[in-house]
Amino acid sequence: MNVKITSDSTCDLSQELIEKYSIAITPLSVTLGEATGRDGLDIKPEDIYAYVDETKSLPKTSAVNVEEYRRVFEFWKKRGYAIVHFCISSEFSSTYQNACTASKDMKDVFIIDSRNLSTGQGLLVLRGAELAQEGRDAEAI
């Protein structure tokens, strides 16, 4: 069975790495004042930096919800993939719990609590992608 590596957007990988390893990204929601959008799609890092510089406030984020995770996992499962999904640390967000809830009745979906965010999480995602390319199965990854 093919393995699909997925992650929430807090892994902060470049578009180049996402494409190179064919990683599927599920974006968190980011709120900058009155504007809310999908991390990395509607709201880019430069938008966040500008907002912080201008307002001296940090943006707010919202976890990926259970239903969105269910849709993402079902999308890849229907295409014949086992899934290894990496989440931002469960200490920082409910994203991990939501992914676990969404996948609880699905076979061959493995949810990883990265216990990190940003670069720490991104390195784990990349290692998972390398192992998938080497032909390791999802459970081994």
Side-chain angles (χ1 to χ4, degrees):
M1 178 176 271
N2 291 325
V3 176
K4 187 67 175 179
I5 301 297
T6 66
S7 178
D8 65 57
S9 59
T10 62
C11 67
D12 293 333
L13 293 175
S14 69
Q15 192 60 39
E16 178 183 23
L17 288 171
I18 291 167
E19 291 172 10
K20 177 180 178 181
Y21 291 101
S22 188
I23 298 165
I25 302 294
T26 306
L28 273 70
S29 292
V30 177
T31 300
L32 305 175
E34 300 296 317
T36 298
R38 296 168 296 166
D39 183 29
L41 299 173
D42 307 315
I43 296 180
K44 307 282 189 196
E46 54 271 16
D47 300 324
I48 295 170
Y49 302 142
Y51 175 80
V52 171
D53 282 346
E54 186 178 303
T55 67
K56 308 298 184 226
S57 298
L58 293 175
K60 293 179 177 18
T61 60
S62 297
V64 179
N65 67 49
V66 173
E67 188 53 38
E68 179 62 21
Y69 267 134
R70 192 170 286 117
R71 281 193 299 268
V72 169
F73 297 154
E74 286 174 353
F75 176 87
W76 292 111
K77 294 287 294 162
K78 286 178 183 174
R79 284 154 181 78
Y81 287 92
I83 300 163
V84 179
H85 180 76
F86 293 84
C87 291
I88 185 175
S89 175
S90 61
E91 295 174 17
F92 303 142
S93 172
S94 62
T95 300
Y96 171 75
Q97 183 60 42
N98 292 351
C100 288
T101 300
S103 68
K104 72 177 178 175
D105 295 325
M106 294 183 187
K107 186 177 178 202
D108 296 320
V109 179
F110 301 91
I111 310 302
I112 309 300
D113 181 350
S114 74
R115 308 285 299 196
N116 277 282
L117 66 122
S118 196
T119 304
Q121 180 181 344
L123 291 171
L124 293 172
V125 173
L126 290 177
R127 184 63 182 139
E130 290 168 350
L131 292 170
Q133 284 189 344
E134 291 172 8
R136 300 281 179 94
D137 68 26
E139 190 169 13
I141 294 170

